[in-house]
Amino acid sequence: MEHSNDDPYKGQAIAAESLYLLNLLFPIIPLIFLAFVYFRSRGIHSEYLRSHTLQPWIAALISTTLFLVINLVAWLMGGYSSLENLVSIHSLVALEVYTLLVILPFLIPGLFAITKAMSGQAWRYPLIGRFL
Amino acid sequence: MKYESQKVAKLYFTAAIGLFVGQILFGLILGAQYVIGDFLFPEIPFNVARMVHTNLLIVWLLFGFMGAAYYLVPEEAETELFAPWLAKLMFWIFLAAGAATVLGYLLVPYATLAEVTMNDLLPTMGREFLEQPTITKLGIVVVALAFLFNIGMTILKGRKTVVNLVLLMGLTGLAVFFLFSFYNPVNVVMDKYYWWWVVHLWVEGVWELILGSILAFILIKTTGVDREVIEKWLYIIIAMTLITGIIGTGHHYYWIGTPEFWQWWGSIFSAMEPIPFFMMTVYAFNMVNKRRRNHPNKAAVLWALGTAVMAFLGAGVWGFLHTLAPVNYYTHGTQITAAHGHMAFYGAYVMIVLSMISYSMPMMRGREACNSARAQSMEMWSFWLMTISIIFITLFLTGAGILQVYLQRFSDNPMPFMVVQEKIALFYWLREITGFVFLLGLVLYIASFFVGKNEPEATVELAK
């Protein structure tokens, strides 16, 4: 086991992973803060920090895109046409599809990643890990 | 194992596993009845099989919790159990009452059972999950009081730790909220309102405290992480559990005749209910990542980590899926509820009891710390078989539920319930097949107690 509890970048790593998880539940605004954390840490040469900022940044971009696409489809099919129609079958189906197909697969790696970040260890996300 | 009286737990765990087998067998019968309507009819009608399946689950989990408490509390309190004889006596009373009740369900028509047990004197029967005859309910109260007395006195005379106090709080809550099963008002709205005080405040309230404390105990023992760190997490988790879970009861009050404000309260607070489960997962993995030693009982660590993940998925994510009032308007009482129920109960409560059994049973059977490598390997196979099966059962039921909602409640020409049941039969067949894989996992789990008995146990490997 490799521990680096006094890792100077621990705060940034945990913040990035937390923002990634928060962005799954409340997309877009946490992504802006995550972008800030990611671009600020880009020049730092630390495998640990890179694994906990680059990967959540890429994963958050993908999950947010999927969120937008799902809701765009709901809108094109007649949802969100008025304030009264905000909670409609379209928005409910969008919510369910987003929960099952996006939150679930993106949440699990995020969970492992945040525990690794808290323990001061680097971690590779499945698939996205190749960009490290 | 430090104290001789901890061995009382073995009795409780053995009974728990026996009843677990019964629960799964009745689950398979039920699953078959979904697709072959007259399977085992009239010997075991669907309503009776369902009653036995759910009641056995509750009873074996209670046996498991009691066993866990009898093992955990003396070790935490650093003293022998106050009255081991009382624990043994209550075990036999509880087992006899449980067996008599199940036999009553199976051998006598429910109305006759109510009559012979004099339900008319204090009517409490006839409600889902609380079908037990009044006399059995009174027996449960006596057993619970004796159990709390025994545990409470042990803690009182010994060391008070966060783990055993949280456990005591959860067990006391369990006993207190069960008292609402005796309140059976004529008004059906009031009836349902207080019925949830037993059902919801158990599984989404006080049982989570029991889960949290048992998990904390196992993590302290297997990771060697400082008790203070684990206790701080436990404080936050139980606070979040109670903050979200108590008012979260409102997600059951949407459509039963209660005021409309419950749709807001229920939606908001129950949408936050995954938070403590999420924290539990982060905390369990964190503790294992920060472990100071590698415990030789790998199977127990696997069960503990599995509990955290599966509880979060089953109770948290699958609960969130249908907890918001506008969603629940369509999904209420469909197979989506069944999907959530199966994964949540398995993930949160079945797995924590099996974690505790996995951790403590080798020591109660004379081992130093764990079973042989072969027994553990078999146990880990059973873990994966049961866990993967329950994931698939949940996915199949979710699929069935989505189709059911569409065909029965949303399409332009909604179909009648039974017509829809035929349309979703494929999912039921797949669920049934997966149920057999689950049973295979359970058989392997039991077999793991009997293999490699003469082989040496694994030794502790120091990590730091």
Side-chain angles (χ1 to χ4, degrees):
Chain A
M1 275 175 303
E2 180 201 326
H3 289 285
S4 50
N5 286 336
D6 49 358
D7 196 311
Y9 308 120
K10 209 169 172 181
Q12 276 168 276
I14 295 172
E17 296 292 3
S18 306
L19 285 165
Y20 162 67
L21 288 169
L22 202 62
N23 188 64
L24 284 175
L25 286 182
F26 307 103
I28 297 172
I29 293 174
L31 187 72
I32 298 167
F33 288 96
L34 179 57
F36 180 70
V37 175
Y38 167 65
F39 284 109
R40 254 191 72 181
S41 66
R42 248 189 351 167
I44 300 169
H45 295 288
S46 158
E47 191 204 341
Y48 164 73
L49 182 62
R50 194 169 154 75
S51 80
H52 290 295
T53 50
L54 175 64
Q55 293 184 107
W57 168 242
I58 296 171
L61 283 177
I62 299 170
S63 71
T64 310
T65 308
L66 289 171
F67 171 80
L68 293 173
V69 168
I70 289 167
N71 281 286
L72 182 71
V73 172
W75 177 63
L76 290 174
M77 291 179 78
Y80 311 119
S81 52
S82 67
L83 268 180
E84 288 73 38
N85 199 21
L86 214 53
V87 177
S88 64
I89 192 65
H90 302 95
S91 55
L92 295 180
V93 170
L95 174 74
E96 295 297 293
V97 170
Y98 178 69
T99 307
L100 269 178
L101 300 185
V102 182
I103 292 188
L104 208 53
F106 281 79
L107 190 72
I108 306 292
L111 259 172
F112 290 124
I114 196 169
T115 59
K116 290 287 182 188
M118 291 166 95
S119 312
Q121 295 168 292
W123 194 68
R124 287 172 84 96
Y125 278 52
L127 303 176
I128 296 168
R130 71 184 64 183
F131 296 111
L132 275 179
Chain B
M1 200 179 69
K2 290 179 182 167
Y3 301 93
E4 195 55 30
S5 55
Q6 285 177 285
K7 270 195 178 163
V8 173
K10 199 172 157 186
L11 271 179
Y12 283 83
F13 288 151
T14 309
I17 294 170
L19 295 171
F20 184 22
V21 174
Q23 187 220 338
I24 299 308
L25 291 177
F26 275 89
L28 288 170
I29 292 172
L30 272 173
Q33 288 176 338
Y34 264 91
V35 280
I36 308 166
D38 56 357
F39 180 68
L40 289 184
F41 185 84
E43 284 76 21
I44 306 176
F46 178 86
N47 62 318
V48 172
R50 185 177 187 275
M51 201 157 63
V52 176
H53 178 63
T54 55
N55 279 224
L56 278 178
L57 167 71
I58 296 165
V59 172
W60 89 256
L61 288 179
L62 290 179
F63 269 110
F65 290 161
M66 287 182 188
Y70 282 131
Y71 187 87
L72 182 159
V73 168
E75 198 155 319
E76 281 290 294
E78 294 182 338
T79 179
E80 291 287 355
L81 195 62
F82 182 74
W85 64 269
L86 185 62
K88 284 181 194 159
L89 178 70
M90 286 304 131
F91 167 79
W92 290 111
I93 291 176
F94 194 27
L95 189 65
T101 304
V102 171
L103 287 176
Y105 292 157
L106 290 170
L107 302 175
V108 186
Y110 192 67
T112 314
L113 185 65
E115 208 178 303
V116 297
T117 55
M118 292 181 285
N119 183 60
D120 53 327
L121 293 178
L122 177 59
T124 66
M125 293 174 72
R127 291 174 298 168
E128 201 181 5
F129 311 132
L130 301 178
E131 295 96 345
Q132 310 84 34
T134 305
I135 193 160
T136 305
K137 289 196 182 88
L138 289 170
I140 293 174
V141 172
V142 171
V143 170
L145 287 177
F147 165 70
L148 280 178
F149 170 75
N150 212 350
I151 292 294
M153 291 304 286
T154 309
I155 294 175
L156 209 60
K157 73 170 175 151
R159 184 175 65 143
K160 284 97 188 149
T161 66
V162 174
V163 173
N164 62 21
L165 290 176
V166 169
L167 180 68
L168 184 64
M169 206 161 100
L171 294 168
T172 310
L174 186 153
V176 168
F177 287 114
F178 184 69
L179 296 177
F180 286 95
S181 69
F182 290 93
Y183 183 54
N184 190 9
V186 177
N187 181 319
V188 76
V189 178
M190 293 283 281
D191 173 24
K192 275 289 182 192
Y193 189 91
Y194 288 105
W195 179 79
W196 284 115
W197 283 33
V198 186
V199 179
H200 173 94
L201 290 178
W202 264 19
V203 298
E204 288 167 69
V206 293
W207 282 27
E208 282 184 45
L209 307 194
I210 299 170
L211 159 66
S213 56
I214 299 175
L215 188 61
F217 175 78
I218 296 171
L219 290 174
I220 288 171
K221 297 291 172 186
T222 55
T223 63
V225 171
D226 284 344
R227 173 181 288 277
E228 289 72 21
V229 177
I230 289 182
E231 287 176 348
K232 275 177 199 159
W233 275 93
L234 187 58
Y235 276 131
I236 301 168
I237 288 169
I238 64 159
M240 282 311 296
T241 296
L242 296 175
I243 290 167
T244 59
I246 293 173
I247 303 180
T249 317
H251 63 212
H252 300 291
Y253 293 165
Y254 297 156
W255 328 114
I256 65 166
T258 46
E260 262 183 52
F261 65 78
W262 278 115
Q263 291 180 17
W264 283 99
W265 285 83
S267 296
I268 293 167
F269 279 86
S270 64
M272 293 193 291
E273 277 189 61
I275 296 172
F277 286 108
F278 173 76
M279 291 170 72
M280 216 177 275
T281 314
V282 173
Y283 134 84
F285 277 88
N286 229 333
M287 295 307 109
V288 173
N289 285 341
K290 289 181 174 173
R291 67 191 180 273
R292 291 182 171 184
R293 65 189 179 118
N294 285 333
H295 197 277
N297 194 339
K298 287 182 183 156
V301 177
L302 180 66
W303 278 112
L305 289 176
T307 302
V309 174
M310 294 299 289
F312 172 59
L313 291 181
V317 177
W318 253 264
F320 177 76
L321 206 63
H322 62 140
T323 203
L324 301 176
V327 175
N328 196 265
Y329 178 75
Y330 291 101
T331 61
H332 179 76
T334 62
Q335 291 301 326
I336 289 177
T337 314
H340 163 57
H342 278 80
M343 202 197 245
F345 259 105
Y346 175 78
Y349 303 120
V350 170
M351 289 183 89
I352 194 63
V353 171
L354 297 185
S355 304
M356 192 62 184
I357 295 176
S358 181
Y359 171 74
S360 63
M361 210 55 149
M363 289 176 272
M364 287 192 285
R365 298 175 82 209
R367 295 278 196 177
E368 191 68 33
C370 63
N371 281 328
S372 65
R374 196 151 67 97
Q376 283 197 54
S377 164
M378 186 178 267
E379 193 182 336
M380 289 194 269
W381 265 97
S382 81
F383 167 92
W384 287 112
L385 277 175
M386 286 196 272
T387 305
I388 291 171
S389 302
I390 212 78
I391 290 172
F392 275 93
I393 286 173
T394 305
L395 289 174
F396 293 141
L397 288 175
T398 306
I402 291 170
L403 200 55
Q404 184 185 7
V405 168
Y406 181 75
L407 295 174
Q408 195 180 310
R409 296 189 175 164
F410 183 71
S411 65
D412 290 337
N413 300 304
M415 296 175 180
F417 175 81
M418 286 311 291
V419 175
V420 173
Q421 291 302 303
E422 284 189 9
K423 302 263 181 217
I424 57 181
L426 175 67
F427 289 103
Y428 292 147
W429 275 113
L430 293 170
R431 183 264 301 264
E432 181 70 352
I433 294 164
T434 319
F436 278 100
V437 181
F438 188 97
L439 179 67
L440 177 67
L442 181 54
V443 171
L444 273 188
Y445 179 76
I446 294 167
S448 74
F449 288 103
F450 302 100
V451 299
K453 276 165 85 174
N454 301 321
E455 293 169 19
E457 60 183 273
T459 49
V460 176
E461 173 199 332
L462 290 176
K464 270 194 165 180

